[in-house]
Amino acid sequence: MFSKIEKFLEQFPTDATSWVQATDEVRDLARASREMLDEYDDIKVEAVDFTATKTPAEWNTKAREAILRNYNMMRPRTQILFFERFEDWFNA
């Protein structure tokens, strides 16, 4: 599962130069991973402040870091639920 998530995130380069390369999917995944950590594992993490991002590269970098960090903190069952929720994206 983790490798499929990493592969999906490759679509959002950390050196993005255009907002076309930094879209809402990574923001949505970052939010969902944070919410699932809180709801299922009772782990609270700070939300990424996307309103403060100035560049597409910063948007992608912060989102990717949050998604992978949150995923790694999840219990195995929560990881499965997260993957299943976005399976269509990860398996595309």
Side-chain angles (χ1 to χ4, degrees), residues 13-76:
T14 57
D15 61 352
T17 56
S18 166
W19 286 103
V20 171
Q21 298 171 299
T23 56
D24 292 340
E25 290 93 342
V26 288
R27 181 200 60 199
D28 295 345
L29 286 171
R31 180 186 310 123
S33 66
R34 179 181 54 81
E35 290 172 349
M36 292 178 83
L37 259 180
D38 183 22
E39 181 177 347
Y40 297 115
D41 298 336
D42 200 28
I43 298 173
K44 294 181 184 356
V45 295
E46 189 173 335
V48 175
D49 183 3
F50 286 99
T51 62
T53 58
K54 306 287 187 226
T55 66
E58 183 182 17
W59 176 281
N60 286 350
T61 300
K62 287 184 175 187
R64 287 173 59 156
E65 288 172 354
I67 294 161
L68 297 175
R69 180 189 64 242
N70 294 347
Y71 181 85
N72 284 327
M73 289 193 301
M74 291 175 182
R75 293 182 185 139

Side-chain angles (χ1 to χ4, degrees), residues 72-87:
N72 284 327
M73 289 193 301
M74 291 175 182
R75 293 182 185 139
R77 179 67 184 137
T78 308
Q79 289 176 339
I80 291 169
L81 292 171
F82 178 73
F83 186 83
E84 287 175 347
R85 181 170 172 186
F86 296 99
E87 189 169 7

